[in-house]
Amino acid sequence: MTTERDRAKVVIIGSGPAGYTAAVYTARAALQPMMIRGLQPGGQLTITTDVENWPGETSIMGPELMEKMEAQARSLGTDIVDDIVTDVDLSSRPYRLTLESGREVLAETLVIATGAQARWLGLESETKYRGFGVSACATCDGFFYRGKAVAVVGGGNTAVEEALFLTNFASKVYLIHRRDELRADKTNQARLFANEKVEPVWNATVSEVLGQDDPLGVTGVKLAATDGGEDRELEIDGLFIAIGHDPATQLFRGKLDMDESGYLLCKPDSTATSAPGVYAAGDVKDHVYRQAVTAAGMGCMAALEAERFLAANEEAEPQRQAAE
């Protein structure tokens, strides 16, 4: 039997900047939100080192920023649950969530803030230096490589745009691609090839990330030739992986509208998904900006929309009962 504690006006799935901001706003609106934190409490910022583009903070470590957001959400009364949602029934409201622990939760509204994960190369050395010279976000970390040599792995528009952005800081930018031509559109390619700081490295894959232990940091990469040529090493100070992201939306396949890449689709100028009272915020719907501050902004939008949805339905219920 579902207890009163297992029912909430607002349930937030995910605990990154979008989720915690939604929690703060809905808690301040006296909606007593429940947050189910998921596999990676705090989201991608917990594997980020210095954050220098968060408003009001000159420099803060990613994990510390998420600890502050969590503390604020808790202080306002958010019920934070350390569990994982394994199934969601969106066929009727209240929506039914099944958790890994076996617990069931009924949600009058739902904010999906499950985020997205960067695709990585899958190398042990890559994991070792992640956050210490290996990154998946040039906008986040490019500033730290002023006057240094860096490399970007990838061949699509994201990789080209990351490489071009890095030329604002780095003295040299290598673009490593496993083929001899890029998938990026012709306009982006023209900009890339016209930039004197960029050097394409064709027909190569990264086989190992090289680095030092004290202090921990990247010093280079080993490259494996894909065309039968010789393997070689490249001296760099930072490595940026730009081979795509995967939104964490598997739970909602066949239940909510999404694009071909799995990002949730929302109404224009809104976080509202294809199900009434269900909202999406952050990287789970955003494949363009993917920044903590934009995710937080969408968390605010989702919270406000959930509050208005609940208010409208509370007003409509007495009218419906009177009509019956």
Side-chain angles (χ1 to χ4, degrees):
M1 180 178 177
T2 304
T3 66
E4 189 66 30
R5 184 167 180 261
D6 292 324
R7 183 168 184 148
K9 290 184 176 181
V10 180
V11 173
I12 301 160
I13 307 177
S15 54
Y20 279 127
T21 303
V24 165
Y25 272 79
T26 51
R28 282 176 54 81
L31 295 177
Q32 299 176 311
M34 175 187 292
M35 170 184 282
I36 303 167
R37 295 214 289 182
L39 279 170
Q40 187 179 4
Q44 294 186 70
L45 278 183
T46 58
I47 59 171
T48 302
T49 51
D50 292 312
V51 177
E52 293 189 333
N53 52 10
W54 184 264
E57 295 283 357
T58 303
S59 179
I60 186 171
M61 299 294 283
E64 182 186 357
L65 177 59
M66 298 319 301
E67 287 172 6
K68 285 186 172 184
M69 295 186 78
E70 177 188 346
Q72 184 180 16
R74 286 188 186 276
S75 71
L76 293 169
T78 303
D79 180 12
I80 296 180
V81 178
D82 284 313
D83 212 331
I84 298 167
V85 180
T86 58
D87 191 32
V88 177
D89 182 357
L90 300 180
S91 59
S92 63
R93 292 182 58 246
Y95 301 123
R96 186 179 297 273
L97 283 63
T98 303
L99 308 189
E100 189 176 59
S101 63
R103 179 179 179 182
E104 287 192 344
V105 174
L106 298 180
E108 294 183 39
T109 61
L110 193 61
V111 176
I112 302 169
T114 48
Q117 297 293 329
R119 294 176 192 155
W120 299 97
L121 301 176
L123 303 172
E124 185 177 338
S125 55
E126 171 193 50
T127 302
K128 176 180 179 179
Y129 293 106
R130 196 179 298 174
F132 296 91
V134 174
S135 172
C137 182
T139 309
C140 309
D141 300 326
F143 178 81
F144 301 112
Y145 297 93
R146 188 176 296 276
K148 298 181 178 181
V150 300
V152 177
V153 179
N157 282 323
T158 299
V160 170
E161 289 164 4
E162 297 265 278
L164 287 168
F165 178 81
L166 288 165
T167 62
N168 294 318
F169 309 101
S171 58
K172 184 77 173 182
V173 179
Y174 297 98
L175 182 63
I176 302 168
H177 188 43
R178 58 184 174 177
R179 301 187 179 94
D180 60 0
E181 61 180 3
L182 302 174
R183 302 187 313 276
D185 63 52
K186 298 302 181 183
T187 301
N188 269 336
Q189 290 193 43
R191 292 175 59 214
L192 182 86
F193 297 139
N195 195 305
E196 295 180 352
K197 285 188 175 183
V198 177
E199 180 180 330
V201 180
W202 303 114
N203 301 307
T205 59
V206 175
S207 59
E208 185 180 354
V209 180
L210 305 174
Q212 61 187 25
D213 291 339
D214 189 19
L216 194 63
V218 170
T219 59
V221 288
K222 283 186 178 180
L223 300 177
T226 61
D227 60 354
E230 291 186 2
D231 297 349
R232 63 186 177 114
E233 293 186 6
L234 196 65
E235 290 186 9
I236 56 171
D237 301 291
L239 179 66
F240 291 83
I241 312 300
I243 55 177
H245 287 72
D246 293 313
T249 56
Q250 299 88 341
L251 192 63
F252 306 100
R253 291 193 182 279
K255 301 174 184 179
L256 293 173
D257 291 347
M258 55 184 71
D259 67 14
E260 63 277 4
S261 299
Y263 288 91
L264 293 176
L265 296 175
C266 294
K267 296 176 182 178
D269 300 319
S270 172
T271 62
T273 69
S274 55
V278 179
Y279 306 93
D283 289 7
V284 76
K285 70 176 287 291
D286 172 24
H287 58 85
V288 178
Y289 302 104
R290 292 197 298 265
Q291 298 297 301
V293 69
T294 52
M298 283 182 272
C300 166
M301 292 169 60
L304 295 175
E305 289 187 278
E307 180 186 357
R308 292 166 186 165
F309 178 88
L310 289 167
N313 278 269
E314 286 173 3
E315 290 174 4
E317 184 62 21
Q319 297 174 9
R320 185 188 66 78
Q321 292 176 352
E324 293 174 350

